[in-house]
Amino acid sequence: MSQHNTHALPSYLDPGHLGPWGIYLEQVDRVTPYLGRQAKWVETLKRPKRVLIVDIPVELDDGTIAHFEGYRVQHNVSRGPGKGGVRYHQDVTLSEVMALAAWMSVKAAAVNLPFGGAKGGIRIDPRNYSRAELERITRRYTSEIGSIIGPHKDIPAPDVNTNAQTMAWMMDTYSMNQGATTTGVVTGKPIALGGSLGRVEATGRGVFVVGTAAAEQNGIPVEGARICVQGFGNVGGTAARLFYEAGAKIVAVQDHTGTVHNASGLDVLRLLKHVEETGGVAGAPDSEPLNADEFWGLDTDILIPAALEGQIHEGNADRIRARIIVEGANGPTTPEADDILNDKGIFIVPDVLANAGGVTVSYFEWVQDFSSFFWTEDEINARLERMMHTAYSSVAGVAAQHKVSLRTAAFIAACSRILEAREVRGLYP
Ligand SMILES: NC(=O)C1=CN([C@@H]2O[C@H](COP(=O)(O)OP(=O)(O)OC[C@H]3O[C@@H](n4cnc5c(N)ncnc54)[C@H](O)[C@@H]3O)[C@@H](O)[C@H]2O)C=CC1
Ligand SMILES: O=C(O)CCC(=O)C(=O)O
């Protein structure tokens, strides 16, 4: 059992709290005064365009029948087709998927990609199911949402507990139902199926690029910087490795199995191997265990939350001693915590900017699939870096102009773009 089950729930999971969708709505309310005449259209952002809840009946390996609840939400498609990952997690809710879809709309617009926002999920703990069962569940889910996805409508990708194999099954199922191989229906596919080089690492690489820019802006040399990372999967593991290779010291890592600490710096390559072999960071060599709560009070230069939403809340924000927070996860900081951290002068690179590297390389993959012409990994990484730098500078410019946080600035830039598209498209059929 995870040590986290023994701790109080984060405040956003308390009954009566706003929940992820409520948090998103509050973020939109906070930015509305900066939208000028576009504010007239702001209601567009406060309701999803389309919500689909599906029942997924599947025969398990032992012959019994199980039913899972799945979702696909398209929040906004004013600027292009919906885009966003698919999450398999036991705590997935409609409110969460709605918020994740909305953050995708904001993210795509903040980085100026020609996409709207969407997200999907299945309420399931995938660790309890065999590979064959997961394949059947994924295929049935894909068929159930098949009428609303498509390369020009809504393009899924990996998120928590899904990966390139999941995308291969989705692409194959969609193609079988269409009667034609349709590689552009999902991104994050295996390279053999039209996937893009660099996509697996892209989100962590983007975190590294903007994290480095933020460190420079705050006079923190990356070489020797102390870094704590929560979540050591696709995003956290890659970001930790890139910072480690740049000379930073990864002093603590937390995942669902535990928290490991080494004040002189963990050997990240060994830690990655340990996680591959054992499924989590607990018991990693050359580390001491910490309890989950101690992690948040560690004296550090950069904190990278790269696990789930609501991890930084009013119950722990006050104890955080990082100089910079780079949000690898979606929605890791509640609005209450955001206020506390801003008052403490902690510099936050918000999720919609910091973790946009993944969807950026997904965009490259989608473009490559259409042209059937594939780029080298160096080309992809160079383009990714350029786009992340451009987005960071333009959001930092908006922040300076309005004297607001990078989060508010990213929302101002993104919401303005979405609402401008809404306005010029017009309303009538
Ligand atoms: N994969 C991608 O391309 C993108 C992912 N994200 C976001 O980044 C975050 C992480 O996603 P991935 O790395 O893809 O997922 P993943 O499934 O590869 O890894 C998730 C990590 O979080 C840890 N974790 C889960 N529950 C935890 C808990 N209660 N406490 C501490 N750690 C916990 C897991 O142990 C694992 O290390 C999510 O918020 C996701 O939405 C954002 C943009 C793109
Ligand atoms: O790569 C994508 O299309 C979306 C990735 C994603 O789900 C996210 O950025 O949160």
Side-chain angles (χ1 to χ4, degrees):
M1 178 191 284
S2 142
Q3 61 173 305
H4 304 280
N5 293 338
T6 62
H7 289 272
L9 289 173
S11 60
Y12 94 106
L13 286 180
D14 285 346
H17 192 275
L18 296 170
W21 176 249
I23 289 174
Y24 162 75
L25 290 179
E26 189 164 328
Q27 290 171 334
V28 173
D29 285 343
R30 285 178 178 210
V31 87
T32 304
Y34 298 96
L35 297 179
R37 72 185 181 84
Q38 303 286 7
K40 169 183 167 190
W41 295 91
V42 77
E43 197 61 23
T44 304
L45 299 170
K46 295 171 114 176
R47 50 192 75 220
K49 184 77 182 162
R50 193 170 286 118
V51 173
L52 184 59
I53 304 176
V54 295
D55 172 42
I56 306 162
V58 182
E59 183 171 357
L60 300 180
D61 292 346
D62 65 4
T64 58
I65 306 295
H67 288 254
F68 301 92
E69 188 158 296
Y71 312 93
R72 186 72 190 172
V73 174
Q74 294 164 357
H75 170 260
N76 188 276
V77 290
S78 293
R79 304 179 69 252
K83 187 85 192 81
V86 175
R87 174 174 298 195
Y88 289 179
H89 195 276
Q90 60 276 15
D91 296 331
V92 162
T93 62
L94 180 59
S95 162
E96 181 186 40
V97 179
M98 282 164 60
L100 290 166
W103 286 323
M104 285 308 305
S105 302
V106 176
K107 189 185 307 184
V111 190
N112 213 358
L113 302 176
F115 289 135
K119 202 86 178 194
I122 304 180
R123 196 172 169 80
I124 182 175
D125 184 348
R127 291 181 189 91
N128 297 336
Y129 297 90
S130 69
R131 178 186 159 96
E133 287 168 334
L134 289 173
E135 176 172 354
R136 292 198 289 279
I137 291 162
T138 301
R139 287 184 180 280
R140 183 71 198 224
Y141 168 70
T142 308
S143 286
E144 297 293 348
I145 65 167
S147 58
I148 65 164
I149 62 170
H152 298 287
K153 297 203 285 195
D154 177 1
I155 306 124
D159 190 69
V160 174
N161 291 331
T162 57
N163 54 29
Q165 180 60 72
T166 322
M167 294 305 114
W169 291 328
M170 289 190 76
M171 184 279 224
D172 185 61
T173 306
Y174 181 85
S175 298
M176 281 161 52
N177 292 342
Q178 292 289 311
T181 294
T182 313
T183 54
V185 66
V186 291
T187 59
K189 298 179 293 293
I191 303 299
L193 285 183
S196 178
L197 294 167
R199 173 60 186 90
V200 172
E201 290 194 346
T203 310
R205 187 173 290 281
V207 168
F208 171 70
V209 170
V210 296
T212 301
E216 269 169 25
Q217 194 181 335
N218 287 273
I220 302 170
V222 165
E223 192 163 353
R226 293 158 307 156
I227 300 186
C228 295
V229 184
Q230 189 206 31
F232 204 64
N234 176 290
V235 180
T238 304
R241 180 175 61 73
L242 292 172
F243 274 112
Y244 172 75
E245 286 170 356
K249 280 197 285 191
I250 311 302
V251 293
V253 173
Q254 176 176 99
D255 75 359
H256 73 287
T257 65
T259 306
V260 292
H261 177 249
N262 183 334
S264 319
L266 295 156
D267 179 336
V268 172
L269 302 184
R270 272 183 86 189
L271 186 57
L272 285 165
K273 197 157 180 296
H274 174 81
V275 171
E276 200 183 308
E277 287 164 2
T278 68
V281 300
D286 296 330
S287 73
E288 51 166 15
L290 288 185
N291 84 41
D293 232 26
E294 280 176 292
F295 174 82
W296 300 106
L298 291 171
D299 192 5
T300 187
D301 296 305
I302 304 177
L303 172 62
I304 305 177
L308 299 172
E309 303 92 75
Q311 297 296 305
I312 303 178
H313 47 82
E314 56 191 336
N316 61 13
D318 209 27
R319 281 183 289 127
I320 289 179
R321 291 195 281 164
R323 295 168 70 189
I324 297 178
I325 296 177
V326 188
E327 295 183 338
N330 285 304
T333 310
T334 65
E336 301 87 350
D338 209 29
D339 290 341
I340 295 169
L341 298 169
N342 281 321
D343 288 349
K344 284 168 64 125
I346 296 176
F347 188 89
I348 303 173
V349 188
D351 48 5
V352 292
L353 180 59
N355 70 31
V359 69
T360 300
V361 175
S362 278
Y363 167 54
F364 299 160
E365 180 172 331
W366 184 68
V367 168
Q368 291 172 85
D369 284 339
F370 277 126
S371 57
S372 298
F373 180 76
F374 291 89
W375 312 344
T376 66
E377 190 158 358
D378 283 349
E379 280 172 315
I380 285 157
N381 288 343
R383 283 176 196 260
L384 168 64
E385 218 167 293
R386 238 181 0 252
M387 286 190 70
M388 295 300 292
H389 274 301
T390 304
Y392 184 88
S393 313
S394 98
V395 170
V398 175
Q401 182 195 343
H402 292 285
K403 299 193 174 33
V404 294
S405 67
L406 281 191
R407 189 185 315 280
T408 303
F411 269 73
I412 294 173
C415 295
S416 303
R417 282 187 182 132
I418 297 168
L419 297 182
E420 184 189 348
R422 175 63 279 170
E423 183 176 30
V424 295
R425 283 180 71 148
L427 286 179
Y428 300 105

